[in-house]
């Protein structure tokens, strides 16, 4: 089964969202949506999500799932807005509870912030499956970037989130709380054990040196042969050393502070304060 995959690229955050459609019907899922956020002004905008809504409406699709591969640290999720406009159930990996516990503490969220994943309609575990119309999605737990990272294998397409990126860019960073380069290597091996012709759809693209166009689709076969971090038989030791050294040079993503506070709440803002205004916190010298 080969789903129809429509990408939506957000250049502001280098994020790719996907609409994944059952070729035999009208059912679809939306993976890793984006709510635009201008940090300087504190304003949100639904431009990116509205492009997805326009597409879904124009094509007459029924949204069954609004899924996250993980708690993103570089963009806000538009899941609540999309669910309100289009319906569907939200889902993420079960280890969201670990992420909620970690960042609930970092942001000193009050007791109103549940750390049990109950903000989502479904919490996925390794080996779970779900359906988009007649098409089955299989769930792989692929930690390393975060402890809650999942890969969704839908027909011949794998949505790998932040694990491998395009072959010429390599892999995602592993230095966030709960991240692990060792786990990343094992997760990547799990993805690369899928059939060679499996289509790989990544969550981000930053172009790579020498490449002028953004790209997001490759195959397991291409990744195995060409991925600059994990392809062509690179060893776990080599990978862990390279990843750790590289991560030490990376700055924090621009939107990590607002993203975590919103995405740990499944895309909802923190509750408004007694003046009716919603605030996002900046923990000083903490991240
Ligand atoms: Fe991420």
């Amino acid at each position: 089964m080969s789903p129809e995959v429509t990408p939506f690229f957000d250049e502001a955050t280098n994020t790719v969202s996907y609409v994944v459609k059952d070729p035999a019907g009208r059912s679809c899922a939306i993976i890793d949506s984006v709510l635009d956020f201008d940090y300087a002004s504190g304003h949100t905008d639904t431009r990116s999500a509205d492009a997805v809504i326009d597409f879904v409406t124009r094509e007459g699709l029924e949204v069954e799932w609004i899924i996250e591969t993980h708690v993103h640290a570089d963009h806000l999720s538009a899941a609540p807005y999309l669910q309100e406009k289009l319906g569907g159930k939200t889902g993420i990996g079960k280890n969201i509870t670990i992420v909620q516990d970690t960042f609930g503490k970092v942001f000193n969220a009050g007791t109103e912030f549940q750390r049990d994943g109950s903000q989502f309609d479904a919490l996925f575990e390794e080996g779970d499956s779900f359906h988009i119309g007649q098409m089955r999605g299989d769930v792989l737990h692929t930690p390393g970037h975060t402890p809650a990272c999942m890969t969704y294998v839908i027909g011949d397409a794998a949505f790998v989130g932040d694990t491998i990126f395009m072959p010429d860019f390599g892999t995602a960073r592993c230095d966030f709380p709960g991240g692990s380069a060792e786990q990343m290597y094992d997760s990547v091996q799990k993805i690369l054990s899928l059939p060679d012709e499996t289509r790989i759809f990544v969550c981000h693209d930053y172009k790579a040196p020498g490449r002028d166009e953004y790209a997001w689709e490759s195959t397991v076969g291409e990744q195995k042969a060409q991925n600059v971090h994990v392809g062509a038989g690179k060893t776990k030791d080599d990978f862990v050393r390279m990843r750790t050294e590289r991560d030490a040079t990376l700055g924090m993503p621009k939107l990590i502070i607002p993203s975590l506070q919103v995405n740990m709440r499944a895309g909802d803002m923190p509750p408004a304060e007694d003046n009716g205004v919603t605030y996002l916190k900046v923990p000083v010298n903490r991240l």
Side-chain angles (χ1 to χ4, degrees), residues 28-242:
C28 73
I30 301 168
I31 300 181
D32 290 334
S33 64
V34 172
L35 181 71
D36 307 294
F37 186 69
D38 179 47
Y39 207 170
S41 68
H43 277 266
T44 61
D45 192 285
T46 58
R47 193 173 51 244
S48 293
D50 287 336
V52 174
I53 292 172
D54 287 350
F55 174 78
V56 165
T57 308
R58 196 167 60 238
E59 299 290 318
L61 307 184
E62 277 170 43
V63 176
E64 295 196 6
W65 288 100
I66 299 169
I67 297 175
E68 308 287 349
T69 53
H70 64 294
V71 172
H72 307 279
D74 46 29
H75 68 273
L76 279 59
S77 165
Y81 177 72
L82 290 171
Q83 190 175 37
E84 184 197 315
K85 299 284 182 192
L86 298 171
K89 287 184 285 189
T90 57
I92 198 165
K94 183 170 175 260
N95 279 357
I96 174 79
T97 55
I98 298 173
V99 177
Q100 288 178 323
D101 194 51
T102 301
F103 291 106
K105 287 189 185 118
V106 168
F107 291 104
N108 198 27
T111 50
E112 99 292 336
F113 174 53
Q114 300 289 319
R115 294 145 209 230
D116 58 2
S118 56
Q119 299 89 344
F120 293 85
D121 298 318
L123 297 180
F124 296 120
E125 285 182 77
E126 169 87 20
D128 281 352
S129 61
F130 59 94
H131 282 84
I132 306 166
Q134 301 299 307
M135 199 169 50
R136 197 180 81 194
D138 290 302
V139 177
L140 304 179
H141 182 215
T142 48
H145 175 62
T146 79
C149 284
M150 309 306 273
T151 289
Y152 302 106
V153 182
I154 304 170
D156 74 343
F159 298 86
V160 300
D162 294 8
T163 52
I164 36 183
F165 288 138
M166 289 303 284
D168 56 4
F169 196 87
T171 55
R173 66 193 299 172
C174 298
D175 59 335
F176 291 154
S180 157
E182 286 86 359
Q183 285 184 348
M184 174 65 87
Y185 186 86
D186 295 340
S187 292
V188 169
Q189 300 313 311
K190 198 188 281 188
I191 293 167
L192 297 185
S193 71
L194 294 166
D196 275 358
E197 60 276 17
T198 307
R199 295 181 286 163
I200 299 281
F201 292 95
V202 301
C203 184
H204 295 291
D205 188 59
Y206 307 92
K207 297 176 183 167
R211 172 155 59 85
D212 293 331
E213 301 292 320
Y214 290 112
W216 39 77
E217 180 177 350
S218 59
T219 65
V220 165
E222 288 164 2
Q223 291 280 1
K224 279 203 289 209
Q226 298 162 22
N227 187 292
V228 291
H229 292 172
V230 290
K234 294 217 172 32
T235 68
K236 187 170 186 173
D237 284 351
D238 288 343
F239 172 75
V240 170
R241 193 175 319 112
M242 177 287 304

Side-chain angles (χ1 to χ4, degrees), residues 255-275:
L255 295 182
I256 186 169
I257 286 175
S259 296
L260 290 172
Q261 290 174 83
V262 170
N263 295 340
M264 74 181 186
R265 293 179 166 88
D268 282 324
M269 290 286 165
E273 297 198 5
D274 55 12
N275 61 354

